Amino acid sequence: MKFMVMNGPNLNMLGIREPEIYGKDTYEDLKALVRAAADERGVEVEFYQSNHEGDLVDKIQEAFMRHFDGIVINPAAYTHTSVALLDAVKAAKLPTVEVHISDVSKRDDFRQVSYIREACVATVMGRGFQGYVDAMDILIDKLGSKACDGAACQAGADHE
């Protein structure tokens, strides 16, 4: 299995930006944690972070074109503003899990709206960096039941 792990604006500033909300660990720490968890699960991951909405749309489309099996995405502020990301996920038709490091349901009123959520198979929030690992596990479970045809492959096995 191959997953695209995407992060939106300002997540490159983890460890610096509002550590009381997001913690002191860095974006590189996040990538190392996710990569280690992916390796344990036999999953290939590719990371992408951008502060630009169109770049994120392009990457979602690229995940489709390059035959990724699923997407883990933290759209960050674009969660609450971007119909373009919603449309891209709908078009790509890849199982996608929305992730938020903090529990956005307990934050500002404007953070209560998620445009992308309707195209996602699940949302994980308030679990810190562990939420990304949880999101991968959700995708593995979902794909395990749909990606393999009987004895043709085992759930969790690599397939491209």
Side-chain angles (χ1 to χ4, degrees):
M1 279 185 223
K2 184 167 55 169
F3 298 151
M4 178 70 68
V5 180
M6 299 178 61
N7 286 282
N10 298 308
L11 289 166
N12 58 310
M13 299 296 286
L14 287 170
I16 298 167
R17 177 185 176 219
E18 300 177 279
E20 67 281 2
I21 295 173
Y22 301 106
K24 294 183 180 180
D25 291 333
T26 67
Y27 183 63
E28 291 304 315
D29 295 331
L30 170 63
K31 287 171 38 179
L33 173 82
V34 172
R35 184 168 280 117
D39 288 348
E40 287 173 5
R41 290 156 174 76
V43 172
E44 182 182 338
V45 291
E46 185 173 311
F47 297 92
Y48 185 74
Q49 186 280 325
S50 179
N51 295 318
H52 305 281
E53 183 179 27
D55 291 347
L56 293 166
V57 169
D58 289 344
K59 203 64 166 179
I60 291 167
Q61 293 175 2
E62 181 182 323
F64 169 77
M65 300 302 264
R66 290 180 49 210
H67 306 287
F68 277 75
D69 297 297
I71 297 172
V72 173
I73 186 168
N74 184 340
Y78 291 135
T79 303
H80 321 292
T81 64
S82 182
V83 174
L85 290 180
L86 167 64
D87 288 348
V89 171
K90 283 182 172 181
K93 296 182 181 171
L94 293 173
T96 300
V97 177
E98 173 189 13
V99 175
H100 299 285
I101 295 167
S102 69
D103 184 348
V104 293
S105 72
K106 296 179 180 171
R107 295 187 58 199
D108 315 88
D109 288 343
F110 71 86
R111 294 185 198 276
Q112 302 312 304
V113 173
S114 170
Y115 285 100
I116 199 168
R117 189 163 298 152
E118 79 172 66
C120 294
V121 298
T123 296
V124 179
M125 66 175 96
R127 302 260 305 133
F129 288 4
Q130 180 62 36
Y132 289 79
V133 176
D134 296 344
M136 281 195 306
D137 287 341
I138 290 166
L139 289 174
I140 291 166
D141 288 346
K142 176 139 183 83
L143 291 165
S145 64
K146 291 192 175 185
C148 297
D149 181 27
C153 63
Q154 297 174 348
D158 287 340
H159 62 279
E160 295 185 60

